[in-house]
Amino acid sequence: MNIVVVVMVGVGLWGVIGGAEAEESPCYFIFGDSLADSGNNNQLESYAKANYLPYGIDFPLGPTGRFSNGNTYVDVVAQLLGLNGYIQAFSRASYRDIFYGVNYASAGAGIRDETGKHLGDHTSFRGQVRNHLRTVSYMLNILRDENRTAVYLNRCIYSFGLGSEDYLNNYFLPQLYPSSSQYTPEQYANFLIQQYAQFLQVLYNYGARKMVLFGVAPIGCSPYALAQNSPDGTTCVEGINSPIEIFNNGLRSLVDELNTQLADARFIYVNVSGIFQNIISNPLALGFRVINSGCCRVGWNYIIQYTCVPLQLPCSNRTEVLFWDAYHFSEAANTIIGGRAYNAASTSDAYPFDINRLTQI
Ligand SMILES: *[C@@H]1O[C@H](CO)[C@@H](O)[C@H](O)[C@H]1NC(C)=O
Ligand SMILES: *[C@@H]1O[C@H](CO)[C@@H](O)[C@H](O)[C@H]1NC(C)=O
Ligand SMILES: *[C@@H]1O[C@H](CO)[C@@H](O)[C@H](O)[C@H]1NC(C)=O
């Protein structure tokens, strides 16, 4: 949090808030992992970073820490929400920025605190929730009125993209994490969902009312999984995807449960795996020529094997690839995922409805 900006607050902030009050959802708070990180890990002692080329090669500001050639899915959602450009990373957010929302996402972050520990520092879901409580108290200090702060926070969109790391960098790494010998896939998914629900309840207590839960993508179809475990290099790895689908089904059930329990809040589930299946069942229809290898060169990058090797020239047809590195999506894919979360292209994309509708209630 940038303290220096506080002197400007008195002068300009009422303008920001006044303008934003006209919007349906004036702010967007983002919780997530590397698929949504916009630079929170840059200053941390971590192997999970993307603040070097070729990451960001198509991003207006170059490499920022985003794990993509350009926009992430949350950048796409932020643009569709009509917010003022990009949502600032928590590590760089000023007092003025927080009224548009904050991006707390951190590469390596899981629902479980232990997830991704071997990659170094990051801010887990728990830490991201804690950071949000700090944001709320900064906001309260500025607005000096609990009701006004609550009314403002009620109208924001809150999105969550967590769970991938609890599989990739926990459950499916038995050499480093014991979870797969302790829990069946059903038990593990239930355990994650319970923890997830507790964090959502805390955020609800701090004014969150419009929450978007992004499901986990079928990691078993990533170039990394294909190279390691696919029998033919193109068939998705079921042993990875089916435990993840159990989690996704649990997340969708959680949405039903919370919509009943917390009747003045609305939760929606984004069917990322459905959107993904939809893309790969007819990739050319959506302009994808390459779906099972990444665009940048990957290899051992310290202890990670699925991120881009620094400073290597990526493929030239970047708009035609589904994956940017061996695990993270290209901007082209993120445009479709974020776009369909916002404006569902079919009823199975978002449940019970899409973000566009969520902003209007
Ligand atoms: C906040 O709202 C509550 C309930 O509507 C009301 O009782 C209370 O007086 C309000 N507080 C302030 C500081 O306006
Ligand atoms: C997700 O989408 C797929 C494919 O469109 C569909 O078969 C599936 O039922 C959807 N899943 C959920 C949980 O909505
Ligand atoms: C696009 O890039 C991929 C990966 O570099 C390459 O294998 C493929 O041949 C390219 N396709 C076209 C149509 O240029």
Side-chain angles (χ1 to χ4, degrees):
M1 187 64 54
N2 187 350
I3 306 295
V4 181
V5 187
V6 75
V7 286
M8 298 169 50
V9 161
V11 190
L13 198 61
W14 295 108
V16 175
I17 298 163
E21 274 174 359
E23 312 260 345
E24 278 156 349
S25 286
C27 32
Y28 181 27
F29 292 101
I30 298 156
F31 299 80
D33 51 30
S34 56
L35 294 160
D37 194 345
S38 59
N40 284 311
N41 275 24
N42 294 354
Q43 262 59 261
L44 301 182
E45 293 285 322
S46 168
Y47 292 114
K49 292 191 191 196
N51 54 344
Y52 58 85
L53 282 169
Y55 286 107
I57 189 169
D58 297 314
F59 195 75
L61 306 169
T64 55
R66 285 171 171 79
F67 287 77
S68 172
N69 54 313
N71 286 331
T72 63
Y73 72 96
V74 295
D75 292 327
V76 174
V77 170
Q79 281 167 11
L80 291 167
L81 285 169
L83 295 170
N84 186 31
Y86 295 96
I87 301 301
Q88 191 59 271
F90 180 74
S91 60
R92 288 192 303 267
S94 70
Y95 280 88
R96 176 182 276 266
D97 293 327
I98 64 177
F99 287 88
Y100 293 108
V102 178
N103 184 338
Y104 304 103
S106 170
I111 298 163
R112 304 190 67 184
D113 296 326
E114 65 162 29
T115 288
K117 277 263 153 71
H118 72 288
L119 302 175
D121 290 347
H122 59 257
T123 311
S124 65
F125 198 174
R126 184 188 308 279
Q128 294 180 33
V129 170
R130 202 178 291 136
N131 285 343
H132 183 65
L133 302 195
R134 285 165 67 188
T135 299
V136 171
S137 73
Y138 294 134
M139 225 182 232
L140 189 56
N141 275 339
I142 294 165
L143 297 180
R144 298 187 179 283
D145 179 331
E146 283 197 22
N147 289 356
R148 189 147 189 244
T149 307
V151 167
Y152 195 83
L153 289 167
N154 289 171
R155 292 165 61 221
C156 305
I157 299 289
Y158 298 73
S159 86
F160 305 88
L162 288 133
S164 301
E165 297 285 350
D166 296 289
Y167 288 93
L168 181 71
N169 284 311
N170 189 327
Y171 202 68
F172 294 124
L173 267 190
Q175 317 87 295
L176 299 177
Y177 299 88
S179 55
S180 59
S181 60
Q182 293 170 324
Y183 303 101
T184 65
E186 286 78 11
Q187 288 168 336
Y188 192 63
N190 284 336
F191 176 64
L192 294 176
I193 299 284
Q194 273 173 29
Q195 182 71 260
Y196 205 128
Q198 284 173 17
F199 294 138
L200 296 180
Q201 178 71 53
V202 173
L203 294 168
Y204 172 88
N205 294 343
Y206 281 81
R209 292 293 180 277
K210 299 182 178 203
M211 302 192 234
V212 184
L213 281 51
F214 281 85
V216 172
I219 297 169
C221 303
S222 65
Y224 175 62
L226 294 178
Q228 301 225 317
N229 291 311
S230 171
D232 56 3
T234 60
T235 308
C236 297
V237 183
E238 256 329 286
I240 296 179
N241 285 352
S242 63
I244 287 173
E245 268 321 287
I246 298 173
F247 172 82
N248 284 336
N249 289 331
L251 206 57
R252 188 183 139 140
S253 303
L254 179 65
V255 159
D256 279 330
E257 221 174 276
L258 293 174
N259 278 331
T260 312
Q261 262 172 38
L262 306 172
D264 66 338
R266 275 295 158 261
F267 295 82
I268 65 175
Y269 167 73
V270 178
N271 188 355
V272 175
S273 69
I275 297 170
F276 184 93
Q277 297 298 345
N278 215 253
I279 297 173
I280 64 169
S281 66
N282 190 0
L284 276 177
L286 293 162
F288 293 106
R289 288 181 186 279
V290 186
I291 61 167
N292 44 37
S293 65
C295 174
C296 71
R297 265 192 53 197
V298 297
W300 282 108
N301 199 0
Y302 299 99
I303 58 168
I304 305 182
Q305 246 184 312
Y306 48 80
T307 53
C308 304
V309 174
L311 306 174
Q312 300 288 313
L313 211 57
C315 70
S316 56
N317 50 356
R318 299 194 288 272
T319 58
E320 299 177 342
V321 294
L322 185 56
F323 287 95
W324 167 243
D325 59 19
Y327 169 70
H328 301 97
F329 292 118
S330 65
E331 173 177 82
N334 286 328
T335 302
I336 293 176
I337 295 166
R340 286 171 70 159
Y342 191 85
N343 283 314
S346 91
T347 50
S348 63
D349 286 355
Y351 173 86
F353 45 74
D354 58 23
I355 299 174
N356 190 4
R357 181 137 165 240
L358 185 65
T359 64
Q360 291 162 24
I361 54 175

